[in-house]
Amino acid sequence: MNVRPSLQLLSEEQKAEVHRYSVRILEDTGIEVESDEALAIFRKSDAVIVRDRVVCLKEELIDHAIKCAPSNIEVFNKAGDTAFHLGKKQGGETYFGIGVTTTWFQDIESSQVELFTRKHMQHSSRLGDHLDNYSMVSTLGIPSDVEANKVDFYSALDMYANTSKPLVLLISGENRINDVFELLSFLHGDISEKPFCIPYVNPITPLVLNKTTTDKMVASIQSRIPLMFSNYSMYGGSSPATPGGSLALLNAELLAGLVFGQLVREGSEIILGSLPAAFNMNTMGSSYTPVSYLLNLACAEMMSFYEIPHCGTSGSVNGRGADLLAAENLWFNHLSSCIGKIGCAPFVGSNFDSLAFSPAKAIFSNQIIGKARKFAKGFDLNDEAVNLREIGAVGHGGDYFTSEQTLASLHELGHSDELWSDMSLHVWKEQGMPSAEEELTERASEIYARAKKDSEDAMDLIQKGEEYIERQQAL
């Protein structure tokens, strides 16, 4: 018997109530659709009412889309091996990804920020490949040293060349997604049979399916590549101030995206989720709060209710580096994710409202994820684990230093912290009383230096990709 901690927010009755509210939103208020092509796809169904560009969806169509959508998605790595499952076959694991589309890079040692470049993309993708607790590498930034019309190509190239893990692609340019697929096919071969790349798309909250999003959805579905459809909101700003109102609205948007995807092709693989945050009146930006984490968990439970694979938040908006402010939110997010219903959290490692990528924070977060996962695994409670025979043998006043179970657990019991030294007070004073932040900076610099060095191995592949990109651009 395994004893595992769990976190349950909504009852079955409450999930059904959220669903009813969301259906009413889609039936009565509807969702605005920008694209003529997307409107034509919606019009294929008799259960759709279109008024100008507002699409209202009947409950039977929503229910049909939920039934058609796959309850499990198998995600592969570059080698064609199964990396992980999202959904029904996932088990109790939550999968994390490094990256988010930033414009700045934060230096580990100085904490100074500089514009994000291709080298940062290459080195940080390799960092994500090295760190064990990341299962995917997401687009880390927008390189400033590349022409705007080539950014998506070079970003995909530099990520592909520096990791064997699945990629989550945030493609910013309009009408670029098929060209990116062609680049990856040139480098890799068939990318649809065992897909390792997952495009990430967003609607506009509240209640707008924008053209770039529906275009990318159609392209991904037609290429038989799974996609992430995730909305972003700031409650009190772009979504209602009350958690219940925000949950119902965000859930309605996700259901609208699901319906659209299934109308493009029934059985299309879609991962749904929300990135809920608070609107900070002081900074006029977003921040994570206890309420936003509750919304994240509630969204995950709704997707489990529908048997739809899920993606959620990564706790990486707040912070000025790998600092106390970041630690508060990383622990909050990662632990609640691991003991809740979160499917995956693809965007770890940013600071300052996701404007700057911090490798130090990504490294710090990697350790937190590992500890949160260990906590979530719980412990065994059975005859072998309790071992009454050993307890009887040690008896009264004895010790377990050399007991059978202790000797079998030496590796775990002797494990040192990856980022910080084990120090007594005496040793700490002898070493000049180093702060935890100083040790983290030193260790993170060593880890990142290895990633930079190892990224040199990818230069031949990068050159091959660069030549392809320039040829295509010249056509």
Side-chain angles (χ1 to χ4, degrees):
M1 179 192 302
N2 181 249
V3 179
R4 293 193 65 161
S6 63
L7 188 56
Q8 184 73 35
L9 190 62
L10 301 172
S11 67
E12 292 303 305
E13 181 181 349
Q14 289 168 333
K15 294 172 194 174
E17 187 72 2
V18 172
H19 179 69
R20 284 192 290 270
Y21 284 129
S22 297
V23 169
R24 285 187 61 185
I25 291 170
L26 293 176
E27 285 187 328
D28 299 340
T29 305
I31 190 158
E32 181 181 326
V33 178
E34 291 184 348
S35 161
D36 291 337
E37 181 186 2
L39 280 171
I41 290 170
F42 274 116
R43 283 193 174 101
K44 292 191 303 184
S45 172
D46 294 334
V48 169
I49 299 171
V50 180
R51 302 187 186 96
D52 295 326
R53 291 197 171 273
V54 175
V55 172
C56 294
L57 308 175
K58 294 182 180 179
E59 185 171 8
E60 59 262 33
L61 178 60
I62 297 167
D63 291 342
H64 180 70
I66 293 169
K67 291 175 184 175
C68 288
S71 60
N72 186 79
I73 294 176
E74 186 175 9
V75 181
F76 298 88
N77 60 24
K78 271 171 49 177
D81 301 319
T82 301
F84 52 86
H85 289 264
L86 289 176
K88 209 164 187 178
K89 297 181 182 179
Q90 184 168 350
E93 194 73 86
T94 298
Y95 297 100
F96 293 83
I98 185 174
V100 67
T101 312
T102 62
T103 51
W104 298 87
F105 178 87
Q106 187 171 38
D107 183 75
I108 293 175
E109 295 185 3
S110 69
S111 292
Q112 295 295 312
V113 295
E114 57 189 276
L115 286 172
F116 195 91
T117 68
R118 285 190 65 196
K119 285 297 181 185
H120 297 140
M121 183 75 83
Q122 294 164 9
H123 301 159
S124 300
S125 295
R126 185 66 64 142
L127 174 68
D129 194 65
H130 283 185
L131 296 174
D132 290 342
N133 289 311
Y134 293 115
S135 302
M136 66 201 87
V137 174
S138 306
T139 303
L140 292 118
I142 302 172
S144 59
D145 53 345
V146 176
E147 297 173 54
N149 64 331
K150 300 179 183 178
V151 162
D152 291 320
F153 303 113
Y154 281 106
S155 296
L157 169 62
D158 291 337
M159 292 165 63
Y160 177 84
N162 280 286
T163 183
S164 61
K165 296 178 180 179
L167 304 178
V168 176
L169 300 173
L170 287 81
I171 297 171
S172 56
E174 292 188 22
N175 305 315
R176 296 290 184 198
I177 189 165
N178 282 317
D179 294 332
V180 172
F181 290 161
E182 289 177 8
L183 166 66
L184 292 173
S185 298
F186 169 76
L187 297 170
H188 183 84
D190 190 341
I191 63 172
S192 61
E193 182 182 356
K194 293 185 175 181
F196 62 89
C197 57
I198 305 173
Y200 180 92
V201 298
N202 307 91
I204 298 173
T205 302
L207 297 172
V208 177
L209 265 179
N210 50 310
K211 184 179 185 302
T212 55
T213 287
T214 52
D215 286 351
K216 292 171 189 174
M217 292 179 72
V218 171
S220 301
I221 292 168
Q222 289 178 343
S223 298
R224 297 189 176 271
I225 293 173
L227 65 97
M228 287 186 185
F229 181 90
S230 173
N231 46 17
Y232 168 79
S233 79
M234 296 182 287
Y235 65 82
S238 56
S239 67
T242 61
S246 275
L247 177 59
L249 175 73
L250 294 174
N251 192 62
E253 290 179 345
L254 297 181
L255 290 174
L258 181 68
V259 168
F260 178 74
Q262 300 310 307
L263 286 174
V264 175
R265 179 176 58 81
E266 285 195 359
S268 57
E269 296 182 318
I270 300 181
I271 303 157
L272 297 180
S274 296
L275 301 177
F279 177 59
N280 188 320
M281 295 285 186
N282 294 318
T283 65
M284 303 302 287
S286 65
S287 63
Y288 286 136
T289 67
V291 170
S292 69
Y293 291 122
L294 284 173
L295 286 171
N296 186 46
L297 291 167
C299 174
E301 291 182 15
M302 289 305 300
M303 295 310 108
S304 178
F305 178 67
Y306 298 136
E307 296 189 349
I308 300 290
H310 171 261
C311 57
T313 63
S314 304
S316 293
V317 169
N318 301 2
R320 303 164 193 165
D323 54 17
L324 287 172
L325 180 58
E328 174 187 46
N329 284 277
L330 293 173
W331 266 111
F332 214 148
N333 185 84
H334 299 342
L335 185 57
S336 63
S337 295
C338 287
I339 61 177
K341 296 284 189 182
I342 307 299
C344 67
F347 305 123
V348 179
S350 67
N351 284 321
F352 296 106
D353 207 0
S354 297
L355 290 176
F357 176 74
S358 166
K361 187 172 183 179
I363 291 166
F364 181 27
S365 187
N366 180 71
Q367 174 150 308
I368 293 173
I369 293 166
K371 293 188 174 184
R373 281 176 165 167
K374 188 173 182 180
F375 179 87
K377 288 186 186 301
F379 59 87
D380 291 330
L381 183 62
N382 53 37
D383 290 349
E384 182 182 357
V386 174
N387 200 340
L388 293 175
R389 178 186 58 79
E390 187 171 88
I391 292 173
V394 172
H396 311 95
D399 65 70
Y400 291 84
F401 293 125
T402 58
S403 73
E404 181 181 293
Q405 286 182 321
T406 300
L407 293 174
S409 305
L410 283 178
H411 176 73
E412 182 179 354
L413 294 171
H415 179 68
S416 297
D417 197 294
E418 184 180 353
L419 297 179
W420 288 281
S421 306
D422 296 323
M423 291 187 193
S424 64
L425 174 62
H426 176 72
V427 171
W428 177 65
K429 290 174 67 177
E430 271 193 344
Q431 294 190 9
M433 299 181 292
S435 68
E437 290 80 3
E438 289 170 338
E439 275 203 89
L440 174 59
T441 298
E442 180 180 354
R443 186 75 181 110
S445 296
E446 294 170 358
I447 294 171
Y448 196 66
R450 285 203 301 273
K452 289 172 68 173
K453 184 176 185 303
D454 289 349
S455 69
E456 296 171 5
D457 297 340
M459 295 317 297
D460 288 344
L461 182 56
I462 286 176
Q463 183 179 354
K464 177 182 176 181
E466 288 173 341
E467 291 171 354
Y468 173 88
I469 292 168
E470 295 307 318
R471 283 198 307 271
Q472 295 302 111
Q473 292 291 303
L475 296 177

